[in-house]
Amino acid sequence: MIGLYGGSFDPPHRGHVELARRAKEELGLGKLLVLVSSDPGHKRVETPADVRLQLARAAFPDDDVVLDEHARTIDTLRAHPEWSDPVFLIGADEFAEFLSWREPDEVLRHARLAVATRPGFPRERLQAVLEQLEHPERVMFFEIEPTLISSRDLRARLANGEDIGGEVPSAVRETIRSGGFYAA
């Protein structure tokens, strides 16, 4: 079974890595393909795609990491019919917004969703989304430990010259330092 994990990874942090690790463990994924969005359709990203790709490769050294040229998940899935019923990994916050994605029910026809939840996340927010889907049985949940950091917070800290400590894998930290990425 192939897992797909998409995002801007600007920069990838320990929460991203933990979600991937737990998904592989819980779901028995044979392969994980990390899709670094070249130009995400849902948000503005200033860090160049090639930099984010390099950082994601440092964060996920045991997985296949590629640049995804499609702005929307459904377009990526349609472009790759060879992925036979993949599992697309997302966090609970993303799933709470899943109905705003382009063609969410069509996404579920092409892939199953594996949603990482964390203790204390309001289950009613997830249930409200499930109730509006044509195929809620194609959504599964697994739990991860909460991470109190975001890529946005890390970019701000780096721009201010602050240390990001253990918030990112050491290979990502070294790649940022050696490449001069996010420098003030």
Side-chain angles (χ1 to χ4, degrees):
M1 167 173 26
I2 185 173
L4 306 173
Y5 187 20
S8 57
F9 302 106
D10 186 20
H13 53 71
R14 63 183 170 86
H16 292 127
V17 173
E18 178 62 11
L19 188 151
R21 186 192 71 74
R22 288 288 297 154
K24 287 189 278 189
E25 182 180 279
E26 290 288 317
L27 307 173
L29 300 176
K31 177 179 179 178
L32 180 63
L33 183 59
V34 178
L35 305 167
V36 178
S37 181
S38 172
D39 185 18
H42 65 289
K43 65 180 173 181
R44 181 184 151 119
V45 178
E46 293 184 19
T47 307
D50 63 320
V51 170
R52 294 182 289 109
L53 180 65
Q54 186 178 351
L55 294 171
R57 285 183 173 150
F60 303 100
D62 299 327
D63 301 306
D64 293 330
V65 181
V66 298
L67 196 60
D68 181 4
E69 297 292 340
H70 300 92
R72 303 288 182 188
T73 300
I74 188 59
D75 298 328
T76 300
L77 293 170
R78 284 181 175 138
H80 294 281
E82 72 275 12
W83 298 337
S84 179
D85 201 31
V87 177
F88 199 89
L89 309 177
I90 62 174
D93 292 312
E94 277 294 314
F95 184 69
E97 302 297 322
F98 185 62
L99 296 173
S100 71
W101 289 26
R102 182 172 291 159
E103 301 179 64
D105 285 312
E106 194 63 22
V107 168
L108 285 176
R109 283 188 191 87
H110 289 271
R112 290 170 287 152
L113 285 185
V115 180
T117 63
R118 60 187 183 274
F121 191 89
R123 181 67 189 183
E124 59 275 6
R125 287 185 63 198
L126 305 175
Q127 190 61 39
V129 175
L130 282 173
E131 290 171 359
Q132 296 183 60
L133 296 173
E134 289 177 19
H135 296 285
E137 72 280 1
R138 296 201 34 93
V139 179
M140 60 190 102
F141 298 92
F142 65 100
E143 194 164 293
I144 61 172
E145 290 297 316
T147 302
L148 302 176
I149 194 71
S150 70
S151 293
R152 179 184 312 125
D153 295 337
L154 290 174
R155 287 191 308 274
R157 286 172 57 181
L158 288 162
N160 290 328
E162 296 175 28
D163 182 37
I164 53 173
E167 301 296 349
V168 298
S170 59
V172 171
R173 189 173 53 253
E174 291 309 312
T175 303
I176 289 170
R177 281 185 190 150
S178 67
F181 307 132
Y182 305 102

